[in-house]
Structure formats: structure tokens, C-alpha cells
Amino acid sequence: METSPRPAIVTTIADLRWAVGAARKDQKRIGFVPTMGALHEGHLSLVRASQAECQYTVVSIYVNPAQFGPKEDFARYPRTLQADLEKLAGVGADLAFCPSDAEVYPVGFSTWVEVEGVAEPLEGQCRPGHFRGVATVVLKLLNMVQPDVAYFGQKDYQQALVIRRMVADLNVPVEVRVCPTVREPDGLAMSSRNSYLSPQGRQKALVLWKSLQLAAELVRQAERDAATIIARMRQTILTVEDAQIDYIALVDPETLAPVEKITAPVLAALAIRIEGTRLIDNCLLEP
Ligand code: AMP
């Protein structure tokens, strides 16, 4: 029997529900990977994680205007739909959901999800309204797809925490999985925004990973004072000409509250601008 081409592509919620409904009727476990497209190995690792435990994998490609601030890069965010679909075909994803803005935010839309607590520090402080946009679109997508499992990357650690919180607080019937950050061979975390960097900027961007590795090394050498580690990370970042620091933080991995003395695993997280491109990265430090 001939199999239909993969991924099937749908743009409306009605067609999405029809396709996912058919898969569910076949007793398939439904995995869901929300993305903004410009797909790279980080995204594809989430698709593979879904395929390892689900029989039907849905990937959404939607650049969500609600999570960008007025001065952010929404207009120039990379949109590479054809290449994305080829990559999804390459890994054998089942369904690509590529809705329009009107499908996601029809006229009259006025309901928003605000997560408190873990959404407030770090990215929440630097990007007011960002997590409101993220939580709202992710809840909507979860309601549209109704997956058994949804997959997120540790690259966006705080985002994953915000979504876990929302899913628990609003009793969303989905399992949330967080998968490791996929890096380039030299350590740079893969990101759709890396494409904004010039070759020189791309080299400079390595300083995020270098400073995280330095933090890990200091903890291995029994440094327990967070301020000392942050100061050394800052020094490392500032060796790069024009690097601008949004934040460098050592925080509790569950609450994101600042840590002073390292007595348990802490999350090192940072947001740095290189050539005006805002890059984030993080890693867990284990004393
Ligand atoms: P985005 O398209 O940037 O909204 O990302 C979609 C999903 O892919 C999010 O759950 C991200 O955390 C995840 N992701 C992005 N970059 C990476 C990476 N380098 N490694 C693992 N997951 C990633």
C-alpha cells in the first residue's frame, strides 16, 4: 500500500483536529513539538524524542507575535517554511501544523495566561509580556492538538518551567518533557537567532558557553560563592568587544530564586547581546 507523504501539512484547527483524531482512533500516542520554525538539530532532537515514545508526532510552526516585544525581532525572525518541511520529512514527523495569525488570534481574541512566580525573574524582567505570550500560545496549541506528551528544550529552561507550572496549575492533561540542549560542535547552543550573527559574531557568541564552562569548572574546584562565580563569568563575557550583558544569574533550578552559597545543584543562566542579537544559554551546576 502506498503511504501518504510525511509530514502531512495542515493550516486550520479543523484539519488538525481531524488528522490527530484519526491517529488517536488508531490508538496512537500523540507527541507534540511546538516551534517557531527555522528548524535546526535542537528542534529535530525534540521530534526524535517524541518518536521514541509516541506513534504520531505533530510539529507546529508558528512565529507567535504575542511573545515578541514592540522593539524585538518579530518582523525579521527567520521564516524558512520549505526548508523546515524538508527537515521534518527527513526525520519522519507525521503532521506539520502551520496556522495563520487569524487562525490563532481571530478578531476579538481577549484571553491571556499570566504565570506568576517562575515567569517573573530573568527573561521575565528583560522581556515584559514575553511569557504571557508564550503561555497563552502554548496553552492554545495544547488545546488544539490535545497531545499525550509535549516536548520542550532545556535551551529555554525558564520557558519550560513556566509551561510546567501552567500545565500543573490549569490541570492541562499532558505530560511535559524537557530535552537536553543541542549544541554546535564548538559548544554554541543551537538557536534560530544564530543566523543573525556575522562570522565574527558567531565566534564571539562562543563566550556564552565558555563562561558557563568556567562556572562549572569553578564549582568543581569547590568554589561555593555565587557572587565570585558570577564576577568571573562577567569578566569572561567582557573579554568580547561589544558584548552586552542582560543578566548572568545563579538561581535555584526549581524556583529561579537567586542563590548565594552553592550547597545544591544551581542553574547558571545568562542572556547576552552580541552584535545586537540577544542570545541565551544555561547549564546546571552540581556541587
Ligand atoms: P523555538 O522555535 O525557538 O520556539 O523553539 C522550539 C522548541 O525547541 C523549544 O522548546 C526550545 O526550547 C527548543 N529548542 C530550541 N533550541 C534548542 C536546542 N539548541 N536544543 C534543544 N532544544 C531547543
Side-chain angles (χ1 to χ4, degrees), residues 33-37 40 42-43 45-46 67 77 151-156 159 179-183 189-192:
V33 180
T35 83
M36 299 206 298
H40 50 64
H43 299 112
S45 74
L46 304 182
Q67 70 189 69
Y77 196 84
Y151 297 83
F152 299 89
Q154 188 189 323
K155 160 79 177 14
D156 300 279
Q159 168 174 284
C179 303
T181 302
V182 177
R183 298 179 180 281
M190 290 192 183
S191 162
S192 306

Side-chain angles (χ1 to χ4, degrees), residues 16 37 72 115 156 190 198 230 270:
L16 169 75
E72 293 183 358
V115 177
D156 300 279
M190 290 192 183
S198 73
I230 290 171
L270 73 179

Side-chain angles (χ1 to χ4, degrees), residues 271-285:
I272 309 292
R273 288 172 202 267
I274 308 271
E275 299 179 329
T277 290
R278 193 170 181 281
L279 302 173
I280 60 172
D281 201 350
N282 67 79
C283 99
L284 271 175
L285 308 178

Side-chain angles (χ1 to χ4, degrees), residues 40-41 181-191 194 202 206 209:
H40 50 64
E41 271 303 313
T181 302
V182 177
R183 298 179 180 281
E184 301 285 357
D186 61 8
L188 179 67
M190 290 192 183
S191 162
N194 292 348
R202 167 69 183 72
L206 270 182
W209 177 232

